[in-house]
Each structure stands twice: as structure tokens, then as C-alpha cells.
Amino acid sequence: MQWVRMFADGGADDRELLGGKGANLAEMTGLGLPVPPGFTITTDVFRAIQAGGGGEPVSLWEEVRQGLQQVESVLDRRFGDGDAPLLVSVRSGAAVSMPGMMDTVLNVGLNDQTVAGLAALAEERFAWDAYRRLVQMYSRVVLGAESAPLEQLIGRAKSVAGVEHDYELSAEQQQKLIQSFRQHLECQGIVVPDDPWEQLRGAVMAVFQSWESPPAVAYREAHGIPAESGTAVTIQAMVFGNMGADSGSGVAFSRNPATGAPGLFGEYMANAQGEDVVSGARTPQPIAEMVRDPLFSDAGRELRAVAERLETHFAEMQDLEFTVERGRLWMLQARTGKRTAAAAVRIAVDLVNEGLIDRATALARVEPEQIEQLMHPQITPDQEIDVVGEGLAASPGAATGVVVLNADEAIERQRA
């Protein structure tokens, strides 16, 4: 059995085998869009691991090596090489979209040798920033370390340095921070491996295991996703949004997911990797600002064109993840975008009027419960209220209750 598929060897119809992420990366690759090279470990591997009691298929890692060799040949970089290192991201990808429910590990392949090679390719501060991110993310996602103590160490380092943001720490300060991380982790019996191949295997297995994490299980149960369908894992060459002022990362929708209004909608953040955008640690900028920023204007216009092309290609509103590396746009994901009930109705009608879908398809895309949601009491836009916070609307209507900050507490309160 073939356990690994290069992006160039798949397409959107292979969702059950490649997962939604892998299938759409393959589709975008086939369309000639700017996608970093990579490959997908198929959902067959997940099922083989489950059937085999946790052990991987014998030939899996040889196929992974062959896949990495193809990526290396495209980029003229080598995984684990100290002079021209290739770094990769390891991400989940179920056949049915489960946004934010499973794990990701970035910058896999960095160690004390490859960080020097990365610094030579770019610059020292950036390289050590990427290394610090790997230690922080790998220890949490793969090795189960608590995130709060490491965040406290970052806060202390920024306070000592007199800076506001992580990326403002110098190379030397990042090195000291990494040493602080390691000392703390070693006291907990946790050691992030130096061997890039050990890092890669650990990251892949952690992504597979995150299928059974409490958030993922709860999401599957709520949306009727079969547990046996499993997840694929995508391994993709890293592109870096934290390489400087002309780099960044963001998320975008081809239409407003709250209202359904046409036009690119979302957020981006300069000098940041993807987790920075969703973590809330920094405030992102509206996606509309990209084309007004001289450092991002070309990438912003290209992103708009890519979003329009993908929406036309899939005949559906798109949810996009992207990175800009030194002014160059790279697409990291495209999937059908989640939307409110009001947005679902408007988008369905608009796509019919634009000739992308027929009336029967539009009716099938609006679920009965979404129509029911539209009947809930809502706060009208012009109503005078005391605003205590702002954000993207997620509730189908108005609500009252006690604020809780995690899913487990919400479930317990609902049961009580």
C-alpha cells in the first residue's frame, strides 16, 4: 500500500484518503497556485495504526524519506542539513473540516546545528525566534508540557528586555529564553529531541493522537463525524511569516462569514507565524489593510485574485490560510468556510445570481437548523447598548448567562 502522496499526485476528490487539507493543497498545486511543496500521510495510515495497536506500517518512514527527498530537490535544501536546512510543518487534516480541533507543529527540523544554517540563509534573530517557537510548540503538543510556565518565561524575558512583542527579542535574548525553556522542561523530565527525524516522527504521531483529544471528540460527536474516519497528516516545507517587516501570516474568507457580504474578509499580522494570528497574543490588522501597506500590497492583490479564483473553482465560499515571506504570497490552506445562518442564506442566493450554482444546490446548502436560528431574538445593529467587548458574532441570536472560558466547564454547567 502507498502510505504517502505528494501534493502533485492528488486532488480535491481525494478527501477521504488525503483529508480536506491534503486534498485541497493538492488541488491548489494542480491549479498552479503558490503552495509550498509537500506531501500527505494518508488516512489509511491512521486506520492501520488503530488496527495494529499503535504501531506504524513498516514502510511508512521510508516513504516519508522519499517524499522529503522530492521536496528537497525542489527547494535545494535538505532536512537536517546544517548548511541549507529544510524545515517542515506537520498538520492534521480530516476529511470533514474540524477547524482548530487537532494539533500542528511548526519549524520541525531545527536544532543547534540547523539553526546556524537557517541564520545564514536569512538572519540570526529570525532563526533563533523560529527555534524558540519549535521548542515551545513541540514541548506542548508532542510532549505534553504545560504552556503557562513557558508563556511566563517569555513575559519575563520581554520585561527584562524592555520590549512588547516576542519578535523584538534579539538573537542573544532568544537563545537565553530557549535555555530557560530547557531548564524548566528538564525539571519536569521533558526533553525536546535534537534529532530532526525524531522530531518529525514525534510530531506526526502527536497529530494522529490528537484525533482522540477531548475537543476533537466533542466536535465529532456534535457534528456526526465517524470516529473511524481518522485524520491524514500533511508535511509541508516551511515558509516564514516571521522573517521581518515584509513578512506575515493571516486568515481570510472570500466572503464575510457573519453577513455573507461579498469581498475578502479576515485578518493578517506582520512578522508573525500562523499561531500568532489565532492566539490572541497580538492584535492583527484587517485584511483590507494589506493592499494599503506598501510592504504587503502586491501580496494583498494576489491574495484577492487567488480567493476569487478558488471561489469560482469550488463554487463555494472559501476559508484561506496564507503566509507572506519577504513580500511573496504562499497559500497554506483552502477549505469551505464556516458561516452564520444569515450568511449561509445570503451566500447561497448570491452564488445562484452569479451563476456559480443552481437553485437546488443553494437550497441544499442551507440546513434546516440554520433557518431555525434565524428565528431567534437578535440585537439590531442600531440598538443602543453598553458595549463591553467586540468580536466576530458566533451566536445565532441574543443570549444571557454566565461567562465560562473553556469547553469542559461549559459542559459541566449544562449538565448541572
Side-chain angles (χ1 to χ4, degrees):
M1 182 176 288
Q2 184 180 357
W3 305 112
V4 167
R5 295 284 186 90
M6 303 303 297
F7 291 163
D9 298 330
D13 294 335
D14 299 318
R15 299 180 65 85
E16 295 299 323
L17 182 66
L18 303 179
K21 189 187 302 293
N24 285 348
L25 284 169
E27 188 77 5
M28 288 194 292
T29 299
L31 290 171
L33 297 179
V35 176
F39 54 90
T40 300
I41 299 175
T42 70
T43 55
D44 285 337
V45 175
F46 173 88
R47 288 184 282 272
I49 291 172
Q50 295 292 93
E56 310 100 287
V58 175
S59 61
L60 172 61
W61 297 108
E62 179 55 34
E63 290 192 32
V64 169
R65 286 182 182 274
Q66 293 172 5
L68 275 176
Q69 287 172 358
Q70 293 192 48
V71 176
E72 290 171 340
S73 66
V74 171
L75 299 177
D76 196 25
R77 300 180 188 175
R78 294 167 296 284
F79 189 65
D81 183 83
D83 295 323
L86 169 68
L87 306 183
V88 298
S89 63
V90 180
R91 303 173 186 264
S92 62
V96 178
S97 177
M98 296 172 56
M101 294 298 108
M102 289 181 290
D103 287 330
T104 292
V105 185
L106 305 180
N107 304 318
V108 174
L110 274 175
N111 57 27
D112 290 345
Q113 288 72 49
T114 56
V115 71
L118 185 63
L121 292 172
E123 57 100 11
E124 194 173 15
R125 186 220 56 82
F126 150 74
W128 285 99
D129 178 59
Y131 195 7
R132 185 265 306 170
R133 291 168 182 268
L134 169 68
V135 174
Q136 185 177 1
M137 183 176 283
Y138 196 96
S139 64
R140 175 180 59 82
V141 172
V142 181
L143 303 177
E146 293 290 333
S147 59
L150 300 187
E151 291 290 348
Q152 290 170 2
L153 289 171
I154 294 172
R156 191 178 306 160
K158 291 190 293 186
S159 178
V160 170
V163 300
E164 182 178 357
H165 302 296
D166 303 358
Y167 64 83
E168 294 176 300
L169 295 170
S170 68
E172 182 180 0
Q173 290 162 343
Q174 294 279 10
Q175 292 178 52
K176 290 180 179 178
L177 185 55
I178 291 170
Q179 290 303 316
S180 297
F181 281 2
R182 285 174 168 163
Q183 290 170 6
H184 168 78
L185 293 169
E186 286 173 4
C187 290
Q188 313 301 313
I190 296 172
V191 178
V192 176
D194 289 328
D195 180 5
W197 285 99
E198 188 178 349
Q199 291 177 10
L200 181 61
R201 184 184 181 279
V204 168
M205 298 308 294
V207 170
F208 277 132
Q209 290 162 9
S210 69
W211 179 255
E212 297 298 338
S213 69
V217 171
Y219 190 95
R220 291 203 306 272
E221 291 175 350
H223 293 83
I225 301 172
E228 61 273 14
S229 62
T231 183
V233 178
T234 60
I235 297 177
Q236 188 174 24
M238 282 293 302
V239 288
F240 299 99
N242 60 325
M243 199 172 273
D246 60 350
S247 303
S249 295
V251 293
F253 296 86
S254 59
R255 299 179 188 235
N256 188 311
T259 67
L264 206 58
F265 178 91
E267 298 173 326
Y268 80 104
M269 187 179 292
N271 206 4
Q273 288 194 321
E275 74 270 19
D276 298 320
V277 180
V278 298
S279 70
R282 292 165 53 195
T283 302
Q285 299 297 312
I287 209 77
E289 296 296 321
M290 281 187 71
V291 294
R292 301 187 184 100
D293 186 335
L295 296 176
F296 288 90
S297 56
D298 290 345
R301 284 188 286 269
E302 185 178 3
L303 176 64
R304 183 176 296 168
V306 167
E308 292 173 356
R309 183 176 179 188
L310 286 172
E311 187 175 89
T312 300
H313 180 76
F314 288 109
E316 179 60 292
M317 187 262 270
Q318 295 295 295
D319 175 358
L320 309 171
E321 294 181 14
F322 65 92
T323 284
V324 178
E325 182 184 271
R326 290 180 168 171
R328 182 177 181 183
L329 177 70
W330 292 99
M331 301 304 301
L332 304 183
Q333 180 161 290
R335 61 188 174 196
T336 299
K338 304 292 184 183
R339 65 207 74 178
T340 65
V345 172
R346 176 168 180 177
I347 290 171
V349 172
D350 285 351
L351 291 180
V352 170
N353 292 336
E354 293 166 21
L356 292 178
I357 61 174
D358 56 26
R359 291 172 61 89
T361 301
L363 289 170
R365 286 184 180 177
V366 180
E367 300 293 335
E369 57 266 26
Q370 291 178 312
I371 300 299
E372 189 270 335
Q373 288 176 11
L374 292 175
M375 305 302 171
H376 290 194
Q378 298 184 28
I379 298 172
T380 57
D382 57 352
Q383 186 173 344
E384 291 188 8
I385 56 175
D386 293 328
V387 177
V388 296
E390 296 182 0
L392 180 64
S395 169
T400 62
V402 177
V403 174
V404 297
L405 301 178
N406 63 72
D408 291 339
E409 184 181 353
I411 291 171
E412 289 302 316
R413 285 182 175 275
Q414 191 273 334
R415 289 172 177 167

